[in-house]
Amino acid sequence: MDSASPPYPPPAQASAAEASGASNASLRWRILRRALLARSASTSRAPGPHRFLPLLLSLLASAATYSIISHGDSSSRNENIVECHNDVCVCYKLPCEGSRKLNLVYRREDSLELNDIVASNRYNIDTTGLVCCWPSEEVLAYYCINHSDMFRSKKVLELGSGYGLAGLAIAASTDADEVVISDGNPQNISINTETFGQTKVNSMVLHWDVEQASEMNSSFDIIVASDCTFFKQFHQSLVRVVKSLLKPSETSQAIFLSPKRGDSLSKFLEVIKKNGLTCELIEKYDPTVWNMHKKYVSGDNRSWPNYNEEHCYPLLIRIINTQFYVLCYENDPAPARIASYLHRLIIES
């Protein structure tokens, strides 16, 4: 939670019995709910939790992104797309050749209910990606659009996609062979099929703590994800998914964008290394995003008043499946050294 947010009474600590009986993902929502109730106690004697979901959004993300991909409400022009009165259609104009557009259906901020996040309790998953478009998601989409060549003829998986902006942007702006949106909104795929060209786009439910079908193992060239490293209890299962699904190839890689958020990101990097993968942490990966970040930090740009570097600025983590180099070395160490050198050229380009 942003340290620059207005102060409010701290929530009561969960009891030991309560904590042991709650799922890891639902615990965060319960704590946030208590914070909302505590903060609103002075304005309502009997507050209903559903009334404070808009406040939840402001506490989680300060209702701000980098706004590097232009977008706006297009519900009035797409009444046939919006099936529920609680939803809104947002049109993103992608900064790529042809200025392609994506229509994404979101839940209106003033219509969110606790039922919208019930999956946290039922499936022990983090559903915070389903309440708004997070800064890291927007930046990941922007980064992928500006590095479209890396996706040519590749099979791509987006993990924890939420509304799927990054994965759908890859499908719409690159020549990827296939893009799979996991844990996202299938409706956002169906309403954009004409934008994807020859790229196949599919959706699937993928629980990180469940063993995947054998045919999925080592099947993806590139895996992308944004803001998926906050919960430390998911680190091991998330890394396991990356390791099992990423192809053992010199061009295969996973691209994650996540803020530091205390020690959560550093702990995630430790888990990566413990599982035999290699990673690279990059602070300056895009000049536009970096310049905006520096202006927010210095105060030269005040359009994001609650901006906090640790919670808002996403760092880029590039993960490599070292199994490829092990296989090369077992056959011939010389090609392995050559492959390692070529791969360094690829990731540094």
Side-chain angles (χ1 to χ4, degrees), residues 218-230:
S218 304
S219 59
F220 291 96
D221 300 288
I222 299 176
I223 296 175
V224 298
S226 61
D227 227 337
C228 287
T229 65
F230 179 79

Side-chain angles (χ1 to χ4, degrees), residues 126 129 158-164 182-184 206 208 224-228:
D126 171 24
E158 182 181 11
L159 292 172
S161 60
Y163 288 105
S182 67
D183 308 322
L206 195 158
W208 302 342
V224 298
S226 61
D227 227 337
C228 287

Side-chain angles (χ1 to χ4, degrees), residues 77 91-94 96 98-103 172 192 195:
R77 301 191 302 272
C91 180
Y92 285 83
K93 187 176 180 180
L94 304 182
C96 62
S99 299
R100 297 185 178 183
K101 297 180 179 179
L102 284 176
N103 289 302
N192 289 289
T195 308

Side-chain angles (χ1 to χ4, degrees), residues 101-164:
K101 297 180 179 179
L102 284 176
N103 289 302
L104 301 188
V105 176
Y106 290 87
R107 182 54 54 91
R108 293 182 185 275
E109 292 183 9
D110 58 356
S111 299
L112 286 166
E113 299 179 357
L114 290 180
N115 288 337
D116 293 325
I117 55 174
V118 70
S120 289
N121 298 323
R122 185 174 301 169
Y123 300 112
N124 190 28
I125 59 175
D126 171 24
T127 55
T128 50
L130 296 175
V131 297
C132 63
C133 178
W134 296 85
S136 296
E137 181 182 7
E138 180 195 34
V139 174
L140 176 61
Y142 184 79
Y143 176 86
C144 293
I145 292 171
N146 288 331
H147 294 79
S148 58
D149 287 349
M150 67 184 289
F151 299 101
R152 183 174 292 115
S153 302
K154 303 297 185 182
K155 185 175 181 180
V156 183
L157 169 68
E158 182 181 11
L159 292 172
S161 60
Y163 288 105

Side-chain angles (χ1 to χ4, degrees), residues 247-307:
K247 285 183 179 178
S249 165
E250 73 271 24
T251 58
S252 298
Q253 57 183 312
I255 302 294
F256 279 47
L257 278 173
S258 292
K260 289 182 179 179
R261 296 233 175 87
D263 65 348
S264 62
L265 183 57
S266 61
K267 293 294 184 182
F268 179 67
L269 299 180
E270 292 176 7
V271 175
I272 291 175
K273 296 173 183 177
K274 287 180 181 178
N275 281 267
L277 301 176
T278 60
C279 62
E280 178 185 15
L281 186 64
I282 305 174
E283 184 180 33
K284 302 177 184 178
Y285 48 84
D286 182 272
T288 299
V289 177
W290 177 253
N291 289 335
M292 293 181 69
H293 161 65
K294 298 304 291 183
K295 290 181 179 179
Y296 287 134
V297 171
S298 65
D300 292 340
N301 187 333
R302 299 182 180 277
S303 62
W304 195 339
N306 287 342
Y307 189 84

